[in-house]
Amino acid sequence: QLSASFETSGNYQEAVPILEELRILKPDDSAVFDRLLRAYIETGNAEKAKPMFLELVERGSISPIEAIVHVFRIHLAKGDLRSARMELQNVSEEDQKNPLFNDAFREYYSLQAREAEEGNNFRRAILYWERALERVPDDFQTQYQLALAHASLNDHEKALELYIPLLEQKPANAGFYADVTVSLLELERYDVAYRMIQLGLKIALSRNDQAVHTRLQDLNSRLTQNFTP
């Protein structure tokens, strides 16, 4: 019960030693196993989580590539890029064809792209977003982030080139239409910018997204200085 109270409050660090004792007492209890594994994941303890994932592989509960990716994500969540990359080196040649492998690399490069953006190094970020997109070419969010990085460098032509295929998916994200509008205004594509603003406002209203609604209204004010619908 004590470990459960720690888990409920999110204090997995305190729950770990209690769950470890419980597992010694109840080695065949699957519920204890699952709770301990989750505690290791939540506390970022890849070293102890890894043998438990391998045990799940032996049971046939998960595949080898799934085990590796789980451990990889623990390292990644801690920002330990070196250990995360080393984990992926354990993937067999056959499993490298698995979509999980490429998706893990997408996450790996995406994290580095975000770190570059935090340092306002958008050229470096673009390199990492491009690597991420090479791994999973149809990933909406990666292409969106790549477009935003180009826009941050005022390369709105390239940003728009990346936005257009995403528009075809009709995303229900008002902020997306605001971002597209920014590039359209910079390129003086006022008629299309007007349509983007109207689409964005409709979505923002339906989702009660006041922040984006205000942003779109500001963009509309900027638009009407140069364009009359």
Side-chain angles (χ1 to χ4, degrees):
Q1 290 183 345
L2 184 58
S3 66
S5 67
F6 285 136
E7 292 169 78
T8 302
S9 64
N11 191 351
Y12 287 95
Q13 200 68 53
E14 297 290 340
V16 165
I18 300 170
L19 290 168
E20 287 177 333
E21 288 293 331
L22 277 173
R23 194 176 180 218
I24 292 170
L25 295 170
K26 301 178 178 180
D28 298 322
D29 190 320
S30 60
V32 172
F33 179 97
D34 292 343
R35 288 166 61 195
L36 179 57
L37 178 54
R38 183 182 178 191
Y40 286 149
I41 294 169
E42 295 292 340
T43 55
N45 195 332
E47 183 179 353
K48 289 191 174 181
K50 186 171 184 175
M52 297 185 75
F53 280 121
L54 293 177
E55 187 174 330
L56 290 173
V57 172
E58 291 175 5
R59 293 182 196 171
S61 301
I62 61 174
S63 66
I65 180 67
E66 287 175 312
I68 289 171
V69 170
H70 278 303
V71 178
F72 158 83
R73 285 177 175 152
I74 296 173
H75 288 304
L76 204 66
K78 291 173 63 180
D80 187 350
L81 292 169
R82 182 174 178 275
S83 295
R85 180 65 181 257
M86 287 178 65
E87 202 61 45
L88 293 181
Q89 291 175 356
N90 296 323
V91 176
S92 69
E93 187 174 341
E94 181 63 28
D95 275 339
Q96 288 180 23
K97 301 172 187 175
N98 191 303
L100 285 173
F101 180 70
N102 280 327
D103 198 52
F105 264 108
R106 180 193 59 77
E107 293 176 35
Y108 174 77
Y109 290 128
S110 295
L111 178 61
Q112 292 176 85
R114 291 190 184 94
E115 289 179 349
E117 288 178 341
E118 287 172 6
N120 291 318
N121 191 341
F122 291 101
R123 293 192 187 282
R124 185 176 180 83
I126 285 169
L127 292 175
Y128 284 121
W129 286 125
E130 287 176 339
R131 290 180 187 178
L133 196 60
E134 284 173 7
R135 290 289 179 169
V136 187
D138 60 350
D139 187 76
F140 180 97
Q141 193 61 37
T142 302
Q143 186 158 326
Y144 183 14
Q145 293 300 140
L146 178 57
L148 288 172
H150 278 288
S152 295
L153 291 176
N154 292 317
D155 187 353
H156 294 285
E157 288 281 4
K158 183 61 178 179
L160 191 59
E161 180 185 318
L162 291 161
Y163 284 139
I164 287 172
L166 301 180
L167 280 166
E168 293 172 359
Q169 299 181 40
K170 299 180 180 178
N173 175 358
F176 172 79
Y177 295 96
D179 291 325
V180 176
T181 299
V182 170
S183 289
L184 288 167
L185 290 175
E186 290 296 329
L187 296 170
E188 299 183 2
R189 300 279 298 277
Y190 299 129
D191 54 338
V192 185
Y194 174 76
R195 293 201 295 273
M196 290 300 103
I197 289 171
Q198 299 312 306
L199 282 169
L201 286 171
K202 184 177 180 180
I203 295 169
L205 282 171
S206 68
R207 293 175 175 264
N208 197 28
D209 191 336
Q210 188 58 50
V212 178
H213 190 272
T214 300
R215 184 185 174 203
L216 285 160
Q217 286 182 317
D218 291 342
L219 288 169
N220 192 54
S221 296
R222 179 181 161 190
L223 171 68
T224 54
Q225 293 173 11
N226 302 284
F227 175 78
T228 302

